C-alpha cells in the first residue's frame, strides 16, 4: 500500500509540475533538451536490463525512513517552486526578464528543486526498492551538470549580485555542497 502511495504521490507531483509550468515566464533553452533526451534514453535502456523488484525493501524501519525522506524531498521541491513563482523554468533555460530569487529555501541552497527531487528519489529507493539508486545516480549527474550551466548563466545575468550569493550558499546540500 505505501508503495502505491509513493508512486501516486510521484504522479501527482509531476502533474502539478507540468500544470505549474504553464504559468512561468517565457525563455529560451541553452542546450538542456539534448541532455534531457540522453537522460531519458539512459533511463529506458537501464529499465530494460534491471530486474525491477529484485532489490525490494522489506524492513519496516527502512520504509519509514524512506517515506520521511521522500515526503521531505517533495515538500522542498514544491516550496522552492512556489518561491520561484513565474521565474521557474526548465533546467538550463534563459528567462525573459529574469529575477534573482534568494528567499525561502534559496537562502541556503542555490538549487533546492534539484535537492528536493534527489531527496525524494533517495527516499523512494530506501522505502520501496534499491533499484531506484540507479535513477538517483543519473539524476545526480544531470542535476550537477544543469546546476553548473545555470550558474554560468546566472553569473552572466546578475554579475553584480550572483557571485556574492553563490559564495554564501551551497549548490545542493546545505552546509556541505
Amino acid at each position: 500500500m505505501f508503495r502505491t502511495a509513493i508512486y501516486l504521490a510521484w504522479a501527482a507531483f509531476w502533474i502539478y509540475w507540468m500544470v505549474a509550468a504553464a504559468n512561468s515566464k517565457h525563455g529560451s533553452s541553452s542546450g538542456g533538451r539534448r541532455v534531457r533526451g540522453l537522460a531519458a534514453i539512459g533511463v529506458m535502456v537501464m529499465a530494460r536490463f534491471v530486474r525491477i523488484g529484485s532489490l525490494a525493501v522489506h524492513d519496516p524501519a527502512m520504509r519509514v525512513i524512506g517515506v520521511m525522506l521522500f515526503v521531505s524531498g517533495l515538500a522542498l521541491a514544491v516550496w522552492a517552486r512556489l518561491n520561484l513563482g513565474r521565474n521557474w523554468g526548465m533546467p538550463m533555460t534563459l528567462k525573459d526578464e529574469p529575477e534573482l530569487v534568494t528567499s525561502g529555501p534559496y537562502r541556503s541552497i542555490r538549487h533546492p528543486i534539484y535537492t528536493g527531487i534527489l531527496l525524494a528519489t533517495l527516499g523512494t529507493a530506501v522505502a520501496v526498492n534499491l533499484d531506484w539508486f540507479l535513477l538517483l545516480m543519473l539524476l545526480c549527474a544531470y542535476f550537477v551538470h544543469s546546476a553548473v550551466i545555470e550558474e554560468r548563466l546566472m553569473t552572466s545575468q546578475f554579475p553584480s549580485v550572483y557571485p556574492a550569493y553563490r559564495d554564501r550558499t551551497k549548490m545542493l546540500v546545505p552546509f556541505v555542497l
Side-chain angles (χ1 to χ4, degrees):
M1 174 159 156
F2 75 94
R3 185 173 296 139
T4 302
I6 286 178
Y7 292 150
L8 288 174
W10 270 118
F13 173 78
W14 289 115
I15 290 169
Y16 158 73
W17 215 254
M18 289 185 285
V19 169
N23 191 34
S24 62
K25 293 179 182 177
H26 295 290
S28 61
S29 175
S30 65
R33 284 192 179 111
R34 182 177 64 227
V35 175
R36 285 191 295 274
L38 290 173
I41 290 169
V43 169
M44 288 186 285
V45 168
M46 286 178 56
R48 178 80 174 118
F49 294 106
V50 174
R51 269 186 349 157
I52 302 299
S54 62
L55 297 174
V57 175
H58 301 289
D59 181 10
M62 291 297 288
R63 288 180 177 174
V64 169
I65 291 168
V67 168
M68 289 173 24
L69 291 170
F70 170 75
V71 170
S72 298
L74 287 190
L76 176 60
V78 169
W79 181 32
R81 171 64 182 87
L82 290 171
N83 266 266
L84 279 180
R86 295 193 62 227
N87 291 298
W88 177 83
M90 291 301 292
M92 300 175 283
T93 301
L94 291 170
K95 302 306 285 177
D96 296 339
E97 301 175 32
E99 297 173 44
L100 181 60
V101 176
T102 60
S103 60
Y106 291 91
R107 274 189 301 260
S108 56
I109 311 170
R110 293 190 303 275
H111 303 279
I113 291 174
Y114 296 164
T115 302
I117 292 172
L118 291 171
L119 188 59
T121 305
L122 173 63
T124 303
V126 171
V128 176
N129 192 306
L130 298 178
D131 289 336
W132 278 75
F133 278 111
L134 295 172
L135 177 59
L136 180 63
M137 288 186 291
L138 282 174
L139 286 175
C140 279
Y142 173 68
F143 286 154
V144 168
H145 171 75
S146 296
V148 167
I149 290 173
E150 288 172 11
E151 294 201 357
R152 284 186 206 137
L153 295 172
M154 297 299 279
T155 300
S156 69
Q157 287 182 322
F158 304 101
S160 62
V161 292
Y162 194 78
Y165 170 68
R166 187 183 57 231
D167 290 344
R168 74 174 182 270
T169 58
K170 296 298 182 182
M171 182 186 280
L172 294 169
V173 181
F175 314 110
V176 180
L177 172 69

